[in-house]
Amino acid sequence: GPLTALGNATLGLEFLRQLRSEGVGAGVLVISERSAINDRVAGLDAGADDYLVKPFAFAELVARCRALLRRSRELQLEPVRLGNLLLRPDTLELSVRGSPMTISRREGQLLVALLRRQGRVCTRAYLESSLYDASAEVSPNALETSISRLRSLLAGADASVELRTVRGVGYALAEKAAA
């Protein structure tokens, strides 16, 4: 949802770092009066996709927003690879070792969310927001059911990835260590 402006630049950058660490992938445009190179670099390093210094022309703001949306759409369509797994997020076409596999829409969406944060822990809240509409009634074990099905699918396909449970936190998808 829309975020309110934070008056303190340090708080704003810390908030941005926290968003990125939680896997929020939405395009972020920082608008600031701070124009020094080190301020712009700090904003971009904290996770901003673009940085616009005040004052600015409205047409430039609109153009930068269009560019962010374009880049975001392009990134969402790019195939995502981990180990011998390849997934096309737009069509949920999955292949393991080059062989196509059938995957349900729900498990495909779960796999997309995990692959976008591969190697990092995905919280339950992040995964549930990737799978379910905020207004949907979701049973308490719905996520676990989808995780179980995805684990079975990956194991049955001899995928070189593992879906680990991080007790009390969430789940992580990573490439299996070489034996």
Side-chain angles (χ1 to χ4, degrees):
L3 302 175
T4 57
L6 298 170
N8 182 316
T10 304
L11 281 177
L13 295 182
E14 194 52 45
F15 179 69
L16 182 53
R17 280 187 199 91
Q18 182 181 348
L19 282 176
R20 293 305 195 204
S21 74
E22 292 174 5
V24 175
V28 174
L29 170 64
V30 170
I31 299 174
S32 176
E33 291 180 344
R34 296 173 171 249
S35 61
I37 287 288
N38 61 333
D39 292 320
R40 289 182 280 169
V41 168
L44 294 167
D45 284 348
D49 296 296
D50 200 354
Y51 193 103
L52 185 60
V53 177
K54 296 179 193 177
F56 53 84
F58 184 72
E60 181 180 9
L61 172 64
V62 171
R64 287 176 184 258
C65 288
R66 277 194 310 263
L68 279 174
L69 289 170
R70 198 169 43 248
R71 281 195 300 261
S72 175
R73 241 177 283 133
E74 289 167 1
L75 284 175
Q76 289 176 2
L77 298 177
E78 287 181 12
V80 185
R81 180 182 304 276
L82 180 62
N84 62 7
L85 198 87
L86 177 71
L87 181 70
R88 298 185 185 286
D90 54 335
T91 61
L92 298 180
E93 292 175 47
L94 173 66
S95 65
V96 177
R97 291 184 323 275
S99 299
M101 300 208 45
T102 303
I103 190 167
S104 73
R105 186 181 64 79
R106 177 76 21 92
E107 280 77 44
Q109 290 172 319
L110 178 58
L111 188 54
V112 168
L114 289 161
L115 282 168
R116 294 222 184 276
R117 299 204 64 217
Q118 53 188 263
R120 294 179 287 168
V121 177
C122 298
T123 63
R124 286 185 59 87
Y126 165 76
L127 292 172
E128 286 174 346
S129 71
S130 299
L131 293 176
Y132 310 107
D133 184 282
S135 64
E137 293 253 346
V138 180
S139 70
N141 66 345
L143 180 61
E144 284 76 13
T145 300
S146 293
I147 290 284
S148 178
R149 287 182 185 149
L150 184 57
R151 272 194 180 119
S152 295
L153 177 86
L154 295 173
D158 198 27
S160 64
V161 299
E162 61 183 341
L163 181 48
R164 293 189 310 262
T165 300
V166 181
R167 195 163 176 84
V169 181
Y171 301 91
L173 184 70
E175 198 164 357
K176 289 179 183 175

